[in-house]
């Protein structure tokens, strides 16, 4: 339901409140903090699937998103097709 226009419906309002915070992300969405391990492995696995070569990943059905919390990171994050990096 769309609760943005007006909160006229109590059931719509209750549904919005019932959503988990933070949300449960699909396995292709990763949220990293500066001290997390496995960042480079996750990024490399996505790049192996959707790498930057024109014939590798361009027509993939896999999508990836890497969300980085504020901080300092030393990982190298190559970005292939259908891969989003935020942070």
């Amino acid at each position: 339901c769309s609760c943005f226009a007006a909160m006229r419906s109590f059931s719509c309002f209750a549904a919005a409140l019932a959503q988990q915070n933070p949300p449960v992300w699909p396995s292709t969405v990763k949220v990293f903090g500066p001290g997390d391990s496995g960042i480079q492995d996750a990024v490399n696995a996505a790049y192996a699937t959707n790498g930057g070569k024109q014939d590798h990943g361009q027509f993939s059905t896999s999508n990836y998103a890497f969300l980085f919390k504020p901080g300092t990171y030393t990982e190298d994050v190559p970005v292939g097709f259908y891969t989003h990096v935020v942070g």
Side-chain angles (χ1 to χ4, degrees):
C1 67
S2 176
C3 297
F4 299 111
M7 291 285 189
R8 295 183 185 158
S9 167
F10 178 76
S11 62
C12 186
F13 180 69
L17 289 177
Q19 293 180 7
Q20 185 174 348
N21 188 9
V24 176
W25 299 106
S27 63
T28 56
V29 176
K30 306 289 184 193
V31 180
F32 297 115
D36 291 348
S37 62
I39 297 173
Q40 194 66 62
D41 292 337
V43 169
N44 289 345
Y47 193 73
T49 301
N50 289 359
K53 295 180 186 176
Q54 190 170 5
D55 62 343
H56 186 72
Q58 183 177 7
F59 300 106
S60 174
T61 58
S62 299
N63 294 283
Y64 299 94
F66 300 110
L67 311 174
F68 291 88
K69 296 177 183 177
T72 302
Y73 298 85
T74 59
E75 287 75 19
D76 180 32
V77 182
V79 178
F81 293 97
Y82 309 109
T83 303
H84 306 278
V85 179
V86 180

